[in-house]
């Protein structure tokens, strides 16, 4: 009788433990995509290592080359600064009212990427 009870208990324990492990795994996966990991660590962002690669990945198949979409080029620092100055870069990325939501036809950038660009702009959008 005692032995059987032990097995029942350990079986229950196993279910609980694997539930917890599953939960942990899910949390980790979520933090890869969530804002939690960049909220505390982001103090500065650079054009060349943070902003430019994001524009390359999400924007420049339309906003570069000889006939860029909307006549807006985002391929060099000086081209990008035009749209920092008038607010349309961050406005379009954040889907703020009054701006065309970008990337056009695609999903909004994730919160961490938006924060990188915002941090760079807030620090004066340096050519760094
Ligand atoms: C699939 C092509 C495509 C992609 C990808 C794309 N854009 Fe655009 N973008 C356009 C077009 C087309 C327009 C012009 C829209 C219009 O004027 O109706 C535009 C307009 C804009 C404008 C002007 C918005 C305004 O309200 O004045 C900005 C700024 C901009 N894009 C930035 C970006 C950024 C930043 C990304 C990447 C995060 C991006 N775009 C991705 C096609 C694209």
């Amino acid at each position: 009788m005692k032995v059987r009870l032990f097995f029942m208990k350990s079986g229950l324990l196993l279910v609980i433990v694997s539930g917890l492990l599953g939960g942990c795994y899910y949390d980790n996966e979520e933090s890869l995509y969530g804002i939690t990991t960049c909220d505390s660590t982001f103090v500065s962002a650079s054009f060349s290592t943070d902003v430019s690669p994001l524009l390359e990945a999400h924007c420049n198949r339309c906003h570069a080359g000889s006939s860029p979409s909307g006549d807006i080029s985002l391929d060099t620092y000086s081209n990008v600064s035009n749209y920092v100055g008038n607010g349309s870069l961050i406005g379009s990325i954040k889907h703020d009212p009054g701006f065309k939501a970008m990337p056009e036809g695609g999903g909004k950038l994730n919160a961490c990427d938006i924060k990188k660009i915002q941090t760079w702009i807030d620090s004066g959008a340096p050519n760094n």
Side-chain angles (χ1 to χ4, degrees), residues 27-117:
D27 285 349
N28 285 341
E29 193 175 42
E30 200 170 47
S31 70
L32 280 177
Y33 301 104
I35 191 167
T36 38
T37 41
C38 44
D39 238 355
S40 53
T41 54
F42 258 85
V43 286
S44 69
S46 121
F47 180 74
S48 55
T49 59
D50 299 304
V51 177
S52 183
L54 284 174
L55 300 179
E56 281 303 320
H58 299 283
C59 319
N60 286 356
R61 73 193 159 90
C62 298
H63 292 294
S66 52
S67 57
S69 292
D71 224 13
I72 293 167
S73 284
L74 299 173
D75 54 351
T76 63
Y77 172 78
S78 73
N79 284 338
V80 173
S81 11
N82 294 328
Y83 306 101
V84 171
N86 70 11
S88 65
L89 181 74
I90 199 70
S92 66
I93 287 173
K94 289 171 88 174
H95 296 189
D96 284 344
F99 298 97
K100 298 269 156 59
M102 292 290 141
E104 194 186 65
K108 198 175 176 179
L109 298 193
N110 72 40
C112 184
D113 289 344
I114 294 176
K115 185 145 202 275
K116 277 185 189 172
I117 295 171

